[in-house]
Amino acid sequence: MVTRTSVLMVLGRVFVQAFLVALAIVVIYPLLWMLLNGVKSNSELFADPFAFPHAWRWENYVTAWNRGVGDYLTTSVLVTVASTVATVLISAWAAYGLTRVKIPFNRTILILILAGLMLAPTVALIPLVKMFQALGLYNSFWALLILYTAFRVPFTTFLIRAYMLDLPFEVDEAAAVDGASKARAFWQVILPMCRPIIISTILLNVLFTWNEYLFAMIFTSGGALQTLPVGLTNLMAKHGTDYPVVFAGMAIAAMPVIVLFFAGQRYFIRGLADGVGK
Amino acid sequence: MRKAARWRNLVWVLPAVLLLCVFCYLPLVQNLGFSLLKWDIYSGRQAFVGADNYVKMVNDPIFWKSLLNNTLYAGISIIFQVFGALVLAALVEGLPSSRWRGTLRAIYFVPSAISLTVAGLLFYFIYEPRMGILNAALETLGLGNFAQAWLGQENTAIFGIIAMSQWQGFGYCTLLFAVALQRIPSELFEAASIDGVGPVRRFFSVSLPLVREMSSLMMIVTVSGAFQVFNEVMVMTTGGPNNSSQVLGTWLYRSGFVRNDFGYAAAIATAVFVITLVLAVLQLWLARRRRVEW
């Protein structure tokens, strides 16, 4: 029997599904527009913004690459890989110390590390510029590596520590009985057991570093060393009238992270669940 | 255990602690000192001026405009990225097909994976009066009268930027809420549906209370994020036109690096620090009060 409430329910469900799909289209359309604009000609861009390109000009991507996007990409990859490795290792090392080793003042040290979660980079910006100038590291690869690592250690330690707390302590005892030192137990037993959380922290850190702008802009000003986010604004400033090339550059910058997200989606969501659930 | 051995164990936390102390906490303290100086970084001249920079800040209309814009950012972000994302997550999780759930969550998240620079540039072009799709879409819909230079006008620029932020950020929040909703034991939903509770009431009496911890966390993260906004404003308007879309971060940058007034920039940084500290304390207090166990 068809009742009034069940008709309402079905209507409601159809409405909700239509809404969710419409929203998905609204969200994804600007990105498709960006990709399409990257293969148009300048006059096509202005003629009809919704139209498909007549001929697909893939050479725009080559032009963008040659106008610096290739260099920015190289810098971004280097900075991202180096700071992600450093952040995850230092954080896992600290998390092991905080959960499985007797340390003096461990409570204070824990608070000291986790309080860093609340610190906004802008607040430390002015003194950091002066400090890096004094150290002779201003406008260098090292400035970005150090800053990204320092500012990401609190969050990464927080996630890995939460995971390590759940690992059984018998494992450590067994390793100790077998005569393994603490360091050996870390490298050969605990770190491999933390694989899921390590993968998700790697994804989160790559996402952060790849997209970071404030430090990259201020600490690499005017040099050959620029990451993609900063390089793109330069491309825009220098070749701003050649819009399809700018769009192509944007697409090149966006693609690697989107691909990485879809490849590691499972781990990523698991990392979020672990990180925010504790 | 021998005392010396215990001290030697500090080697485990030493790299993390050193990095944080030298590159996060020391600058934080230095910043307070710098905010009391008049400081020309190019000539290197420094002079102690006491609270002058703070007095200047209180009397600076652009500082207040920036603060207002940050507050506006926070308010609108709460509506879309906390309430909106929570409702959206509940709708997505309520879908019968798990394949659709995953696909929609992933699509909504994609803008969060691209950098704010790309998103900012993209929306700069979307708002562009001649090639942009916003005005073109309005004209197609017969609303051509509303077409305008969105980022070129004082009364619309900041809203254009905030709208881009919502597009970019809501998927991340939806994903987090989806994760929180999945953690609710399914028996609770089953019990509710046996009692004949409809989907709307189920949302308000089961889902909402049980993700309260996540909601307050998201609220604080969103709000403190709103007071740290920098990149999107820098890329889309650099604070213009006529400082109408200035936020604390960009005004700090402009004061220090463009107008060469580092002492004043440090004073603005202190203001940002105080605001984010208050929000952080609020977060701890809320987390303690609102812990829900099941």
Side-chain angles (χ1 to χ4, degrees):
Chain A
M1 197 181 84
V2 181
T3 61
R4 239 185 91 209
T5 40
S6 69
V7 170
L8 273 177
M9 288 281 266
V10 171
L11 276 177
R13 206 172 296 149
V14 169
F15 177 76
V16 164
Q17 287 171 4
F19 168 75
L20 292 176
V21 172
L23 185 66
I25 294 169
V26 169
V27 167
I28 220 70
Y29 183 74
L31 293 166
L32 297 176
W33 187 65
M34 172 177 86
L35 291 175
L36 277 181
N37 282 352
V39 290
K40 286 184 181 175
S41 71
N42 227 354
S43 52
E44 276 178 324
L45 263 185
F46 288 98
D48 177 3
F50 295 114
F52 272 84
H54 295 297
W56 296 62
R57 296 167 179 265
W58 293 106
E59 62 266 30
N60 290 338
Y61 281 78
V62 179
T63 313
W65 182 272
N66 291 333
R67 283 197 186 154
V69 174
D71 294 334
Y72 309 144
L73 192 91
T74 314
T75 309
S76 271
V77 168
L78 281 178
V79 173
T80 302
V81 169
S83 72
T84 300
V85 169
T87 306
V88 172
L89 279 183
I90 289 172
S91 303
W93 187 255
Y96 184 87
L98 287 168
T99 53
R100 302 178 123 70
V101 180
K102 284 199 175 63
I103 293 178
F105 306 114
N106 60 354
R107 204 66 216 154
T108 319
I109 290 171
L110 177 67
I111 291 170
L112 184 87
I113 293 178
L114 295 190
L117 279 170
M118 302 164 185
L119 209 65
T122 26
V123 176
L125 190 65
I126 305 285
L128 280 172
V129 169
K130 203 177 170 196
M131 186 192 291
F132 278 85
Q133 282 174 336
L135 291 170
L137 295 176
Y138 194 70
N139 209 356
S140 77
F141 172 78
W142 295 101
L144 293 185
L145 173 61
I146 292 170
L147 288 174
Y148 289 164
T149 307
F151 276 85
R152 290 300 288 180
V153 157
F155 185 55
T156 314
T157 308
F158 168 71
L159 292 180
I160 300 178
R161 176 182 164 272
Y163 194 88
M164 279 189 185
L165 280 175
D166 282 353
L167 296 179
F169 286 88
E170 289 82 27
V171 186
D172 302 67
E173 285 156 22
V177 169
D178 287 346
S181 65
K182 286 280 179 194
R184 221 183 128 138
F186 170 74
W187 289 112
Q188 299 196 333
V189 183
I190 300 297
L191 201 58
M193 285 176 79
C194 288
R195 217 179 88 129
I197 193 70
I198 297 290
I199 293 175
S200 43
T201 52
I202 288 175
L203 287 170
L204 284 169
N205 277 307
V206 167
L207 199 66
F208 166 83
T209 315
W210 189 262
N211 294 333
E212 204 281 339
Y213 179 75
L214 176 70
F215 283 146
M217 181 183 91
I218 286 169
F219 287 86
T220 62
S221 59
L225 177 96
Q226 271 164 344
T227 60
L228 268 169
V230 181
L232 276 181
T233 50
N234 280 0
L235 186 73
M236 173 72 183
K238 272 190 221 149
H239 307 282
T241 48
D242 205 350
Y243 297 108
V245 173
V246 178
F247 279 107
M250 286 156 65
I252 295 174
M255 269 309 144
V257 241
I258 294 179
V259 169
L260 194 73
F261 165 70
F262 278 103
Q265 202 188 353
R266 204 159 51 88
Y267 291 105
F268 183 75
I269 290 171
R270 178 163 179 183
L272 288 178
D274 287 341
V276 297
K278 298 282 148 115
Chain B
M1 194 184 280
R2 280 179 300 119
K3 237 185 171 160
R6 278 194 60 173
W7 282 98
R8 219 181 298 140
N9 285 340
L10 280 176
V11 76
W12 288 97
V13 289
L14 205 62
V17 169
L18 266 181
L19 265 179
L20 278 165
C21 285
V22 176
F23 297 106
C24 302
Y25 295 123
L26 175 66
L28 191 67
V29 178
Q30 284 180 317
N31 185 71
L32 288 175
F34 289 170
S35 71
L36 306 175
L37 302 175
K38 176 139 188 61
W39 178 14
D40 180 326
I41 202 166
Y42 299 109
S43 69
R45 265 200 306 270
Q46 291 183 2
F48 184 80
V49 293
D52 274 15
N53 286 321
Y54 291 96
V55 174
K56 183 175 165 185
M57 187 168 87
V58 173
N59 293 313
D60 176 5
I62 302 175
F63 169 79
W64 292 108
K65 178 73 190 168
S66 307
L67 190 60
L68 179 76
N69 281 339
N70 282 112
T71 313
L72 211 59
Y73 229 109
I76 296 178
S77 299
I78 285 178
I79 296 171
F80 284 94
Q81 300 190 27
V82 183
F83 293 116
L86 176 55
V87 172
L88 192 63
L91 291 179
V92 172
E93 292 311 296
L95 289 176
S97 148
S98 70
R99 219 165 113 207
W100 270 102
R101 285 202 295 266
T103 311
L104 284 173
R105 276 199 309 255
I107 290 178
Y108 296 152
F109 181 83
V110 171
S112 301
I114 70 171
S115 69
L116 273 167
T117 307
V118 174
L121 280 174
L122 178 57
F123 272 68
Y124 172 86
F125 289 120
I126 285 175
Y127 293 134
E128 219 272 341
R130 291 162 306 154
M131 73 166 99
I133 43 176
L134 182 56
N135 283 349
L138 286 173
E139 260 150 45
T140 313
L141 294 171
L143 299 167
N145 289 338
F146 289 99
Q148 53 192 298
W150 298 94
L151 295 179
Q153 296 179 146
E154 288 186 30
N155 55 346
T156 51
I158 188 69
F159 292 101
I161 299 171
I162 295 176
M164 185 284 292
S165 257
Q166 310 313 314
W167 174 82
Q168 214 248 352
F170 85 96
Y172 182 73
C173 302
T174 305
L175 194 61
L176 287 179
F177 276 122
V179 166
L181 288 170
Q182 285 164 10
R183 290 169 62 90
I184 298 176
S186 58
E187 300 92 70
L188 290 176
F189 288 116
E190 282 155 23
S193 60
I194 288 169
D195 290 346
V197 172
V200 176
R201 253 200 74 199
R202 199 167 59 208
F203 173 75
F204 282 104
S205 12
V206 183
S207 309
L208 200 59
L210 290 179
V211 296
R212 201 182 262 171
E213 208 175 321
M214 174 65 89
S215 316
S216 54
L217 182 72
M218 294 298 294
M219 190 100 82
I220 302 298
V221 169
T222 306
V223 173
S224 52
F227 283 93
Q228 295 172 34
V229 166
F230 176 77
N231 188 354
E232 47 273 55
V233 178
M234 217 45 212
V235 170
M236 292 169 79
T237 64
T238 63
N242 194 19
N243 290 315
S244 63
S245 62
Q246 212 71 257
V247 288
L248 290 175
T250 52
W251 188 230
L252 179 159
Y253 170 79
R254 199 168 171 77
S255 302
F257 295 89
V258 181
R259 306 168 91 199
N260 192 17
D261 193 350
F262 276 70
Y264 186 52
I268 300 174
T270 308
V272 175
F273 174 65
V274 170
I275 293 168
T276 44
L277 185 72
V278 168
L279 291 170
V281 170
L282 210 66
Q283 168 182 4
L284 292 175
W285 183 69
L286 279 173
R288 193 161 298 171
R289 269 197 43 194
R290 285 195 171 172
R291 192 165 291 272
V292 179
E293 300 287 345
W294 67 78

